[in-house]
Amino acid sequence: MKRGGGVVRRLRKALLLGPLAVAAIALILTGSPRPAAALDSEETAVLDLINQYRSANGLGTVSLNGALNNAARWMSEDMANNNYFSHTDSLGRDPFVRLGDFGYTFNTWKGENLAAGIDSAQEAFDLWKGSPGHNANMLNPNFKVIGIARSYSASSTFGWYWSTDFGGQEDVAPPPAPPPTPVPAAPAAVPVEPVPTTPETPAPTPAPTEQPTVTPAPTKAPRWQDIATEVRPWWDRLTVVSQDGSVLRSVSFLTERYLERRSAQAQSNGASSGDQRILPEQLWPTTFS
């Protein structure tokens, strides 16, 4: 919308509203940022001019924020379409409520600069720079992000309407997922000292029991055949004479040998059974030489 130079100069003071900048004190949960609409060439130029100005004054630059840019675009279009010029929008919201409704709910510094009646970035920047309050917003070190938008309506009083919204908090990316909890390694086996075992107490050995005395059965008299067999080796060696003493000695010798032999056999083989008595005449021949 073209106007004469004198008209524009007269309107510029009325079209630059007092800036708003406050530190929000209410703790509000952050919302998800919305993607910002692409800036046109003049809106991009305003961003460049503000960042060059901040850098020249030793301040960090501001970056475009989606939620703030959406709020600024809505505000410029609302003023153009509803033909008003105020920080309070057609819904009765101040800038800070409006920014929160668009998802910028950080508990941080917030501000807004408005302008109307001019269409170029340089003119808008010069208007804000020439106003102490607006200039303070552009050089506020607490601001980190910005939203910029302009809108035009031929049926409106001033034609072009500019909005810049500032914020002190960048969008925070969601924290990364925590790393998986490491599974603790199994502890190394520790050798355990063996528990000493108590030797078992041996069962007591029973005391030897006294063997019963076995009474031997009475030995029966040997048979004469056995006696004759036993004394035969010695009898054949004897020379019997007629003297009385020689016969007795011979008999005594044979008897002694017989009894010794029978005793040995009885111990090893047991006593022979028999019920015949031994007659003296069965121990030697009946005739003597």
Side-chain angles (χ1 to χ4, degrees), residues 164-281:
T164 54
D165 289 317
F166 298 88
Q169 174 65 56
E170 299 179 7
D171 290 333
V172 179
T181 304
V183 179
V190 179
V192 179
E193 291 295 330
V195 178
T197 57
T198 304
E200 295 183 2
T201 303
T205 303
T209 57
E210 187 174 338
Q211 296 295 328
T213 302
V214 178
T215 303
T219 303
K220 293 183 179 180
R223 298 180 304 167
W224 67 269
Q225 292 91 341
D226 296 330
I227 296 175
T229 301
E230 294 295 335
V231 300
R232 174 61 61 182
W234 293 278
W235 181 264
D236 292 339
R237 298 176 190 176
L238 293 178
T239 300
V240 180
V241 296
S242 59
Q243 288 82 357
D244 294 337
S246 297
V247 174
L248 292 176
R249 284 194 300 269
S250 297
V251 172
S252 298
F253 175 80
L254 291 176
T255 303
E256 182 179 0
R257 300 287 76 78
Y258 169 77
L259 293 176
E260 288 177 355
R261 189 170 182 85
R262 291 295 296 173
S263 177
Q265 288 182 349
Q267 292 179 3
S268 60
N269 300 325
S272 298
S273 62
D275 55 356
Q276 294 183 351
R277 292 182 179 275
I278 301 174
L279 299 177
E281 61 269 20

Side-chain angles (χ1 to χ4, degrees), residues 81-105:
N81 295 332
N82 291 290
N83 194 24
Y84 72 94
F85 188 55
S86 170
H87 285 292
T88 302
D89 62 32
S90 61
L91 301 179
R93 300 175 299 181
D94 63 32
F96 313 112
V97 174
R98 184 168 62 255
L99 295 184
D101 289 346
F102 275 89
Y104 192 80
T105 55

